[in-house]
Amino acid sequence: MAVIESLFTRLQNDAEQHNHRRLLVVSGSKEWCGIQAQHLNNLPDLLWIGESLSLQGKASQTSPYINASDLHLLLGQTVSSVVFNAWDGFNPNSFGQIAGALAGGSLLVLVCPDLDGWPEYDDPEHKSIVAYPYQSSDAGRRFISRVVMLLEDDAYTVIYREKNTLAGVEIELPEVLISDEMRGDDEPILPNKTVDQQHAVELILSQFRRGRRPAVLTADRGRGKSAALGIAAAQLSGLDYKQVLITAPDYAAVDEVFSRAHQLLPDYQYSKGLMQNGDHQIRFLEPELALRELGEGQVLLVDEAAAIPVPILSKLLQRFPRIAFASTIHGYEGTGQGFSVRFKKVLDRDAPNWKNLHLQQPIRWSAQDPLESLTFQLLLLNAQAVDKHVLLDAYSAEQTRNIQPVIEKIDRDLLIEDYDTLGQLFGLLVLAHYRTSPGDLRVLLDSPNLHIWLLKIDNNVAGAVLVAEEGPLPAELVDDIWSGKRRPRGHLLPQTLVCQEGAKAAAHLRAGRIMRVAIHPVLQREQLGSTLLSAVQRYAKAEGWDYLGASFAASTDLMGYWQSNGFETVRLGTAKDSVSGSHAAVVIVALSAEAKALQEHLRQRFLEQINYRLSDDLIDLDIPLVCRLLQHGEGPFELTTHDWSDLDAFCYHNRSYESCAYILHKLLLLFLKKVAENRLQIFLQNNDFRLLMERNMQQRSWALLEKRGQGRKQLMRQFREVVLRIMAVVKEN
């Protein structure tokens, strides 16, 4: 038996004995790794991740393999031992996904270049993190350098290296001590597999009996969270709930929910996303479609809620009296840490009787699993922003002594050796954005066109800005980009302006795209984000950049933030994101005279088009966002004496809406231009004002408005009252 086979067998026996998962690193030249792959091919039930290693022109293994890009097909499944071929590329998300799919008693074999030279290997994954015209060789080597350091430092990782002679060496495997708290000796009630899972199901059922009492489940991978939702769905469907709805960012995330529910309800007809027995249904809906349901008489279970924007979750909370949210805290496609911080505020405000349960007991492996601990470190899944109390105390102390926060543009070569700063930075990014994933860590460390600024308080990371340097576009590609024939990697801002807005003048300009602005939640609204953006602008001007910009899912708050910092909206995408339900916005601020002319041109085009688009592709845009977009526009006109006379006739003499519709349109535009922000917020709390905006700005039909429960005559009375108030504001200013 070859050394690698013996080593694999001994390590697997140890893993099975403890019901843990273990990591075996096979590191050496590509030819030597190919030989080891041949030996591993003799072992049963191995799944290979990545292309086959070639040996003398032939594949080194015949075992089944799957490309890393197709690992989403394994979501919800459990696999036995796996070989991860890092010669084919080390994708952080894929590594985390396959680690999470392994069952206890299994091995993960990582086949990679020799550890000493691995950081310099031109990883095929590099091409996905470099913008044109950078080559893969231009990517940084920091991420893999950090991986190597952690692998060599981990006490439970077994490393089999070509340059070492490990044949016959007995490897002592330290015993993993399991605390009494994590043992979980109590027996759960079937069909639950752990007491935690049982309590999760009981919480959902208990909360639903009372109504308007949401349940929130959080867990790390492998704790049976999705299975708990499946058990709850089956039990709810067997009660008085004929409509049990399931939603998530995509169906793959809830495959386990339906699989578990079907096991418990075998008499139900089962197809993808639908279980049915007579008039009882369990069905899947995307979040946007779930918002169109009645809500009353239905229950909604939301899985992977952290990957759904909080505004959508808030609307679902309002729509469904009986709702449960579940989310993975340390996920491989995103994270739930920010979810718990951001959404908790909404729950406290709108549903104060909500209850939370965190599932700790693992199901697929035993507690204190070595691979889980290592994967958390490698991918920074357990990264934490600085403690809010520590940060608040430090900020208060510096404010008292009139000490300003420190802003620094960081050297990423030093960052990988500064574990505290890197952990705080990535933890902060996790809190700030629901889609932060391990892949973002590699971008953070290795993308050649990325710049990072930190805002520190007493050496704690309190804020960060990530900026991608973009443009100019190659002159020979501009026409092809404009016509949609070419889409070089990266350069989101200039390509969007050239291809979508037809602005070829943007092609030769240098831009800085602000990818992330993150401020610790406890210090938000202290103008620290604006302070960071000012530092970025100073650097950009000094470097000769023409403009700064950002692209994001449009919301009222975000639009207001960028506008308050001098950025202007030049584009709002035509299509909604399927998860967030938002249109993509592009905002820019010019730094050069040429960019200023471009910004004014694009801004004017945007304002000219939006009046038409509000009754077309933007007809469903939220009214507060409509107001935000229009209130910073140039006032095109003042009202004439004739206009004021028509408005008086509308309000006091029953002049029809249709004969005054355009004058009302002019009035609303002028109002939005002149009204103070605090007064606008008061108007937005008035449903009559919102209805008037929907009818006039978005051309919603009377029939649609009447479905809200009021007839046309009543609507007209309300419109006249609110128009009088709007006229008063305009006359004051």
Side-chain angles (χ1 to χ4, degrees):
M1 179 182 290
V3 173
I4 185 67
E5 294 178 64
S6 174
L7 191 56
F8 182 98
T9 302
R10 294 207 318 273
L11 195 57
Q12 186 169 49
N13 289 339
D14 181 84
E16 290 173 348
Q17 179 183 348
H18 294 90
N19 192 35
H20 280 156
R21 304 164 303 154
R22 302 300 298 268
L23 178 65
L24 170 61
V25 177
V26 178
S27 172
S29 66
K30 197 166 189 177
E31 181 180 5
W32 182 82
C33 287
I35 294 172
Q36 308 314 309
Q38 271 191 334
H39 293 310
L40 289 171
N41 193 53
N42 297 326
L43 300 170
D45 300 325
L46 268 183
L47 174 66
W48 284 73
I49 308 299
E51 292 281 352
S52 170
L53 280 165
S54 296
L55 188 61
Q56 296 178 345
K58 297 181 179 179
S60 59
Q61 87 271 354
T62 58
S63 301
Y65 78 90
I66 184 171
N67 290 321
S69 59
D70 294 327
L71 277 178
H72 63 278
L73 299 174
L74 297 180
L75 279 177
Q77 300 182 34
T78 300
V79 298
S80 56
S81 294
V82 167
V83 178
F84 192 99
N85 176 17
W87 286 96
D88 196 42
F90 189 89
N91 182 293
N93 290 343
S94 299
F95 185 83
Q97 286 170 349
I98 200 61
L102 280 173
S106 300
L107 256 62
L108 175 55
V109 181
L110 175 62
V111 180
C112 63
D114 182 77
L115 295 181
D116 293 338
W118 189 10
E120 298 309 313
Y121 172 63
D122 192 10
D123 191 319
E125 283 291 322
H126 285 158
K127 63 185 179 184
S128 67
I129 63 171
V130 298
Y132 183 89
Y134 287 108
Q135 302 299 312
S136 60
S137 56
D138 296 317
R141 300 299 192 261
R142 306 172 192 91
F143 178 80
I144 293 299
S145 295
R146 181 178 176 277
V147 167
V148 170
M149 285 190 294
L150 291 172
L151 290 176
E152 292 182 328
D153 288 346
D154 186 63
Y156 297 103
T157 295
V158 177
I159 301 176
Y160 180 43
R161 301 180 70 168
E162 179 181 11
K163 72 176 190 178
N164 293 340
T165 54
L166 293 180
V169 175
E170 291 294 330
I171 298 176
E172 295 293 332
L173 304 176
E175 183 176 354
V176 181
L177 300 177
I178 302 176
S179 66
D180 292 337
E181 181 183 350
M182 298 295 291
R183 287 185 183 277
D185 292 332
D186 294 340
E187 289 295 324
I189 299 174
L190 295 176
N192 304 286
K193 293 187 176 181
T194 65
V195 174
D196 270 358
Q197 193 176 71
Q198 174 187 323
H199 289 165
V201 175
E202 290 172 349
L203 175 65
I204 293 173
L205 297 179
S206 173
Q207 291 290 89
F208 281 16
R209 289 190 198 102
R210 306 178 187 185
R212 197 59 71 183
R213 292 172 179 257
V216 178
L217 308 180
T218 55
D220 288 329
R221 289 286 173 126
R223 268 61 179 180
K225 161 189 64 65
S226 294
L229 291 182
I231 296 170
Q235 295 189 13
L236 289 165
S237 187
L239 297 172
D240 295 329
Y241 302 106
K242 295 181 179 180
Q243 292 284 321
V244 178
L245 306 180
I246 315 288
T247 192
D250 53 55
Y251 180 76
V254 297
D255 190 58
E256 174 67 17
V257 178
F258 278 91
S259 176
R260 195 75 179 98
H262 183 55
Q263 291 174 9
L264 300 175
L265 300 173
D267 294 337
Y268 277 53
Q269 293 180 338
Y270 180 35
S271 59
K272 182 178 179 180
L274 178 64
M275 292 175 55
Q276 188 164 2
N277 186 8
D279 57 356
H280 284 252
Q281 283 188 341
I282 302 175
R283 57 189 172 100
F284 172 77
L285 290 170
E286 291 183 344
E288 272 290 292
L289 294 178
L291 286 173
R292 301 177 187 176
E293 295 290 318
L294 294 174
E296 290 294 336
Q298 299 171 312
V299 299
L300 180 67
L301 307 179
V302 185
D303 205 358
E304 298 307 343
I308 301 174
V310 169
I312 299 296
L313 297 177
S314 300
K315 291 178 181 178
L316 293 173
L317 178 64
Q318 294 296 329
R319 174 76 63 173
F320 292 89
R322 291 172 173 81
I323 187 169
F325 303 92
S327 191
T328 305
I329 291 298
H330 300 119
Y332 306 124
E333 292 289 359
T335 176
Q337 294 184 56
F339 159 77
S340 60
V341 172
R342 294 187 298 272
F343 195 49
K344 183 178 182 294
K345 297 177 182 178
V346 176
L347 289 166
D348 287 341
R349 182 191 68 213
D350 296 341
N353 291 317
W354 71 281
K355 288 187 178 180
N356 174 70
L357 177 68
H358 181 66
L359 285 74
Q360 299 186 64
Q361 295 172 273
I363 289 178
R364 295 204 300 268
W365 52 80
S366 292
Q368 298 178 352
D369 177 78
L371 183 60
E372 181 173 62
S373 175
L374 176 63
T375 304
F376 277 15
Q377 293 181 64
L378 290 175
L379 306 182
L380 276 185
L381 294 174
N382 56 351
Q384 297 287 338
V386 64
D387 180 80
K388 64 179 182 180
H389 300 294
V390 171
L391 191 57
L392 266 179
D393 290 345
Y395 183 65
S396 298
E398 291 195 354
Q399 290 288 97
T400 301
R401 292 179 289 166
N402 201 28
I403 298 175
Q404 297 302 311
V406 174
I407 296 178
E408 58 182 25
K409 188 175 185 294
I410 62 173
D411 181 342
R412 289 183 288 172
D413 289 332
L414 301 178
L415 187 60
I416 62 167
E417 298 178 3
D418 188 345
Y419 283 26
D420 288 343
T421 298
L422 179 59
Q424 288 183 13
L425 168 59
F426 201 67
L428 182 61
L429 296 176
V430 159
L431 286 179
H433 199 275
Y434 64 94
R435 283 179 175 168
T436 303
S437 71
D440 292 312
L441 177 61
R442 188 162 204 177
V443 171
L444 179 79
L445 293 174
D446 290 344
S447 284
N449 64 324
L450 185 68
H451 303 263
I452 304 172
W453 282 262
L454 298 183
L455 184 145
K456 288 187 172 182
I457 297 173
D458 193 23
N459 210 35
N460 295 303
V461 178
V465 174
L466 275 57
V467 180
E469 189 173 350
E470 299 186 338
L473 299 174
E476 64 274 14
L477 296 182
V478 173
D479 286 341
D480 284 347
I481 293 171
W482 176 85
S483 63
K485 295 178 182 177
R486 291 287 302 272
R487 185 67 188 267
R489 291 190 308 272
H491 305 283
L492 175 63
L493 283 181
Q495 289 202 77
T496 299
L497 297 181
V498 171
C499 182
Q500 302 297 329
E501 294 301 315
K504 290 185 180 180
H508 68 278
L509 300 181
R510 296 180 64 192
R513 177 168 61 90
I514 300 170
M515 299 170 59
R516 300 280 181 89
V517 181
I519 300 297
H520 197 290
V522 78
L523 291 181
Q524 289 175 358
R525 304 194 183 281
E526 295 289 329
Q527 303 301 310
L528 298 180
S530 299
T531 302
L532 266 171
L533 288 178
S534 296
V536 174
Q537 285 199 37
R538 289 193 296 271
Y539 174 88
K541 286 182 179 179
E543 290 295 308
W545 294 4
D546 293 287
Y547 66 96
L548 293 174
S551 178
F552 54 92
S555 69
T556 307
D557 289 343
L558 281 178
M559 198 65 74
Y561 172 78
W562 289 108
Q563 289 173 344
S564 68
N565 283 285
F567 289 72
E568 290 193 338
T569 310
V570 296
R571 174 174 170 78
L572 200 62
T574 57
K576 286 185 177 182
D577 180 83
S578 61
V579 174
S580 69
S582 301
H583 296 262
V586 174
V587 297
I588 64 174
V589 60
L591 305 176
S592 69
E594 191 172 0
K596 181 65 174 176
L598 175 65
Q599 176 179 317
E600 290 176 354
H601 170 68
L602 292 174
R603 176 64 177 166
Q604 188 59 40
R605 276 173 52 89
F606 175 76
L607 292 173
E608 290 171 355
Q609 294 172 7
I610 195 168
N611 276 320
Y612 168 78
R613 294 182 60 197
L614 284 173
S615 60
D616 188 50
D617 59 299
L618 301 179
I619 194 169
D620 292 325
L621 208 62
D622 287 343
I623 291 302
L625 181 53
V626 172
C627 293
R628 184 71 71 189
L629 291 169
L630 294 175
Q631 69 182 137
H632 287 271
E634 296 298 324
F637 35 60
E638 292 289 337
L639 294 175
T640 66
T641 302
H642 194 154
D643 293 335
W644 285 111
S645 176
D646 285 343
L647 290 171
D648 285 340
F650 174 77
C651 293
Y652 296 112
H653 303 291
N654 294 319
R655 179 78 61 85
S656 72
Y657 172 86
E658 285 71 20
S659 65
C660 298
Y662 180 63
I663 309 305
L664 290 169
H665 188 78
K666 290 173 65 177
L667 174 69
L668 288 170
L669 288 175
L670 196 57
F671 165 78
L672 291 173
K673 182 65 179 173
K674 291 188 173 185
V675 67
E677 179 65 26
N678 61 336
R679 294 193 73 176
L680 177 60
Q681 294 306 314
I682 294 173
F683 271 89
L684 285 171
Q685 294 172 16
N686 185 321
N687 190 54
D688 298 341
F689 174 74
R690 287 176 177 249
L691 289 172
L692 177 62
M693 288 288 293
E694 289 182 28
R695 178 70 188 98
N696 190 274
M697 290 292 182
Q698 295 178 308
Q699 302 290 301
R700 289 180 181 266
S701 68
W702 290 109
L704 188 61
L705 297 185
E706 287 169 7
K707 288 182 179 179
R708 310 277 182 87
Q710 296 169 321
R712 181 165 176 174
K713 287 185 178 180
Q714 178 63 26
L715 284 170
M716 285 295 293
R717 283 194 291 271
Q718 293 168 188
F719 283 180
R720 290 186 172 102
E721 290 176 7
V722 78
V723 167
L724 283 171
R725 293 178 56 201
I726 292 171
M727 291 168 61
V729 171
V730 172
K731 289 177 180 178
E732 288 174 10
N733 295 278

